[in-house]
Amino acid sequence: MDRQGELSIIRAAYAKQILAAARVDNARLGSAFSTIRREDFLGPGPWPILRRFFRDYVPTPDTDPVYLYTDDLVGIVPARRINNGQPSLHAQLIHHAAPAAGEHVVHIGTGTGYYTAILAHLAGPSGRVTGIEHDPELAAKAEANLASHPNVEVVEGDGAVVSFDEADVIYVNAGCTQPVARWLDRLADGGRLILPMTSDQGFGANSLEGMAKAGAVFRIERRGKEYFATWISPVAIFPCAGSRDEVSERALAEAFAKGGWQRVTRFYRDQEIPEERCWLRGSGWCLAYS
């Protein structure tokens, strides 16, 4: 068997392990993880690996791509702690986003494009993905890395500001303290927004307990004029530059301190919701209990 054949077997095993760790049974998603080559999006090796409970990056022993097929973060800008994120977390979140063939997916925080490529695989030739990346250098790398994916467009800019067509899925890969009105406005009927919300401690959390108290990912689904919300998981993730401010930062930290985010079921816009039903209230919106 040649080397590429060996790597195909390794990717198939990796996909099974990732979905098992995410507690996800999704054949389409497994196919995406076993098909897309992670090494194509991370530059030349050796690669800096960041494993849970390790305080710093550890380089792979050599340039063999086999080291990339584990459930670990890989540094893409290690000096700034910007990583290609943990595969099992993305598997869980993408599963909840449920991108279908033919849909338009907007990926905010494309990085160098690995998870954008997985979303493009799921959207298929009849669908499309708009990848938005704030960092110019990363955006340029993503555009080059995704050149062979005709259903992907990469846009450099602030994901909170960049305009895009109506989307069936908006997949946000940065920590917010509030949802962006533009994202909610451009969400199609039946569309799903995957929204990580993190306090000012959310990026530095180095334990599951710390993550649970500082970051949470919500799935917000639009049905006509109504929005339904579901908590998915704890999270520690790089902050979203265009969706944070001091007021919402304090409000989110207070909401985490009181607990109850797992019971959130609704997202309201411009409606008067009693205080006892609100987990988190912002200007013109509220994440609430039923």
Side-chain angles (χ1 to χ4, degrees):
M1 182 182 296
D2 64 15
R3 182 56 174 155
Q4 286 307 312
E6 291 177 353
L7 286 172
S8 293
I9 293 172
I10 289 166
R11 288 188 201 101
Y14 157 80
K16 286 182 178 292
Q17 293 289 345
I18 293 308
L19 267 63
R23 300 181 183 181
V24 165
D25 183 8
N26 185 325
R28 293 182 66 244
L29 185 56
S31 174
F33 271 97
S34 65
T35 300
I36 303 301
R37 295 158 41 116
R38 200 178 187 189
E39 62 268 29
D40 290 349
F41 299 88
L42 298 177
W47 300 276
I49 303 293
L50 186 62
R51 292 188 169 90
R52 188 177 295 167
F53 308 122
F54 280 23
R55 299 189 67 177
D56 210 344
Y57 297 91
V58 176
T60 58
D62 53 48
T63 61
D64 190 334
V66 69
Y67 300 114
L68 299 176
Y69 293 103
T70 61
D71 193 22
D72 296 308
L73 292 79
V74 181
I76 53 178
V77 188
R80 294 169 55 198
R81 310 294 282 189
I82 299 176
N83 305 306
N84 178 249
Q86 187 176 28
S88 62
L89 173 64
H90 282 273
Q92 185 182 27
L93 301 185
I94 293 171
H95 174 72
H96 283 278
E103 290 192 324
H104 177 210
V105 180
V106 174
H107 184 191
I108 296 170
T110 285
T112 55
Y114 175 59
Y115 295 107
T116 314
I118 287 181
L119 292 166
H121 183 97
L122 294 165
S126 61
R128 61 193 178 103
V129 177
T130 302
I132 303 174
E133 176 51 51
H134 191 272
D135 185 283
E137 185 176 346
L138 294 182
K141 288 181 179 179
E143 187 170 18
N145 292 338
L146 291 160
S148 62
H149 297 261
N151 62 341
V152 177
E153 177 188 11
V154 176
V155 179
E156 178 195 326
D158 184 343
V161 176
V162 170
S163 181
F164 51 81
D165 294 339
E166 185 177 77
D168 301 289
V169 173
I170 301 175
Y171 188 66
V172 181
N173 280 168
C176 307
T177 56
Q178 58 188 330
V180 174
R182 181 186 299 272
W183 301 342
L184 299 163
D185 292 341
R186 302 310 297 157
L187 199 61
D189 191 8
R192 292 82 66 198
L193 166 65
I194 301 300
L195 181 68
M197 302 191 75
T198 57
S199 76
D200 57 356
Q201 300 299 312
F203 185 50
N206 58 7
S207 69
L208 288 175
E209 182 181 2
M211 286 171 55
K213 294 179 179 178
V217 186
F218 293 94
R219 179 188 193 268
I220 298 175
E221 180 177 347
R222 183 174 188 172
R223 300 182 199 166
K225 294 183 179 180
E226 295 186 301
Y227 297 85
F228 293 82
T230 307
W231 173 81
I232 302 175
S233 77
V235 70
I237 196 168
F238 197 81
C240 183
S243 185
R244 304 187 75 87
D245 60 68
E246 290 185 10
V247 173
S248 61
E249 191 93 60
R250 286 195 300 271
L252 183 58
E254 290 171 3
F256 278 122
K258 74 181 180 183
W261 56 88
Q262 300 95 331
R263 297 188 288 110
V264 168
T265 58
R266 297 293 297 269
F267 179 86
Y268 292 100
R269 302 182 74 184
D270 301 316
Q271 296 183 52
E272 292 296 326
I273 306 301
E275 192 63 35
E276 63 269 18
R277 286 186 55 204
C278 282
W279 175 69
L280 175 64
R281 188 189 298 275
S283 178
W285 62 271
C286 175
L287 275 168
Y289 315 117
S290 295

